[in-house]
Every structure is written in structure tokens, then in C-alpha cells.
Amino acid sequence: MNIGILAVQGAFIEHEKMLDSLGISYFEIRKKTDLCQKMDGLILPGGESTVMGKLLHELGLFEVLKHKIEEGLPVLATCAGLILLAEKLTNDEKVYFATLPVTVKRNAYGRQLGSFHIDSEVKYVGIEPLTFIRAPYIENVTEGVEVLALVNDKIAGVKYKNQIGLAFHPEVTESPRIHEYFIKICKEQMA
Ligand code: GLN
């Protein structure tokens, strides 16, 4: 089991610490040759989606990663990572991988309300501490997209085939359960 973590910008170290605590091996994705190794799952961290999107293209990572996602590589995308996966963005003309058929609103809570913490239910996982940081939310989902988390009537987590998109940051909490759930999916895919 080896998980690739996109490490060009943003909060990738927190995901690494979480995988360390679970004893799961991983590698950082910073350049094209990093993608030569075996990858059983991909983590797209939070950060700044516009910067990450630009770097993905500049570093020649974009096409290879998009292809792997389309082929069924399990993906855990948090916050800016969710924005990278979304097929449509309400308040941005650009889209990135566009492999997740949802509409996402960036910085959706406004500047003052964008960062908050709440305990809420995540399907398949249970009640979890959820941390939102300048968070997006999911405005619309198309058929086949499963809602994993609803927070204050807004969709904050979805699953579609091999892709999990979360508006919040499970990597900054003490609870490893969302990462454990993701690793379970990666193992099932390997079997
Ligand atoms: N607001 C950021 C963006 O639009 C996402 C914030 C985050 O990842 N914590 O990319």
C-alpha cells in the first residue's frame, strides 16, 4: 500500500502525519517522475486551489493524474482538493480535473464565517470533528453522487465512484477515522 500525496502547495504535511499515525506508507508528488511509482490512492490536500491548479499544469502533473483518477484510482480530496476535482465552480470560470460531477462554491461562507469547527455525522464513519478553513461547499450534485456529510443544510462531503470530496479538513483533527475509511477503499480496490 502506497499513497501519493500532492505536495506542490498547501496542507499536505498534515495528511502525511495522519498516514504516519496509521502506519501507511506514502510519497510526495512534486514532479512528473514521482508518478512513476506504484500508487494505490491519491490525496489532494487543502491549500489554494488556483495555485495548485496552475502548478499541476506547470509541473506536467495534470494529465497523468487526471487519467489515473478517470481510470479509478481512489482519491481523497479535502477543501482546495475538492475544488480541483469539481466539474463546475459557481464563482470561478476555471475548472481543473473536473472528474467529480458536482458544483462547488469557493470561499462559500464569506470571509468571517469561512473557518469554523463542528461535530457532525459523516456517512460510513460516524460523528466526527469537522474543521472548515475558508471552506467551499457543494451547491449541487448530479445523479450517482452520494452525500457523505450535511452541515447546516449544506453539502460538505460527497462520494462518487472512486472519489471522496470533502469541504473540511479531517487531517487537522485528532480523529483518523476518515483516513482509515479511505485506506479501506484503497485496499478494496487493490484486492
Ligand atoms: N479557499 C481555498 C480555495 O479556494 C480553499 C481553502 C482550503 O483549502 N482550506 O482554494
Side-chain angles (χ1 to χ4, degrees):
M1 165 74 63
N2 206 10
I3 304 293
I5 302 181
L6 184 65
V8 295
Q9 193 267 340
F12 53 91
I13 287 172
E14 289 79 357
H15 283 285
E16 294 176 1
K17 285 186 181 153
M18 196 55 101
L19 294 189
D20 277 334
S21 77
L22 295 174
I24 299 292
S25 61
Y26 57 81
F27 61 96
E28 293 185 346
I29 302 170
R30 293 172 182 270
K31 53 186 187 311
K32 214 170 174 179
T33 49
D34 294 331
L35 295 173
C36 297
Q37 47 194 311
K38 181 175 157 289
M39 175 161 45
D40 304 305
L42 168 68
I43 293 181
L44 300 175
E48 192 54 44
S49 54
T50 49
V51 177
M52 274 198 261
K54 193 165 170 277
L55 288 171
L56 278 170
H57 283 288
E58 284 176 9
L59 298 167
L61 300 170
F62 184 83
E63 293 300 334
V64 187
L65 286 176
K66 183 173 161 81
H67 185 69
K68 283 181 186 288
I69 297 168
E70 284 169 344
E71 282 205 316
L73 178 72
V75 189
L76 174 64
T78 59
C79 205
L82 162 69
I83 295 167
L84 293 180
L85 287 185
E87 204 171 79
K88 248 177 118 183
L89 300 174
T90 322
N91 46 354
D92 209 318
E93 283 156 25
K94 277 213 189 77
V95 286
Y96 303 95
F97 293 122
T99 49
L100 182 64
V102 300
T103 304
V104 168
K105 185 171 182 182
R106 290 185 61 207
N107 300 316
Y109 296 90
R111 283 196 102 163
Q112 300 302 317
L113 301 171
S115 303
F116 60 96
H117 188 84
I118 191 169
D119 286 342
S120 193
E121 172 83 19
V122 178
K123 196 171 176 188
Y124 304 119
V125 179
I127 305 279
E128 281 293 294
L130 308 183
T131 300
F132 293 77
I133 305 168
R134 290 181 297 111
Y137 62 65
I138 298 155
E139 282 198 322
N140 269 304
V141 298
T142 35
E143 224 185 296
V145 177
E146 192 175 8
V147 173
L148 296 182
L150 256 187
V151 175
N152 298 335
D153 295 329
K154 304 279 193 270
I155 302 171
V158 291
K159 181 171 186 295
Y160 175 71
K161 297 181 182 171
N162 53 314
Q163 303 170 64
I164 296 175
L166 307 174
F168 49 89
H169 289 266
E171 75 283 6
V172 302
T173 69
E174 296 288 304
S175 171
R177 290 198 296 172
I178 287 175
H179 286 77
E180 282 171 346
Y181 171 61
F182 174 61
I183 296 301
K184 188 173 145 250
I185 290 173
C186 297
K187 282 190 179 145
E188 282 167 7
Q189 176 84 358
M190 284 166 77

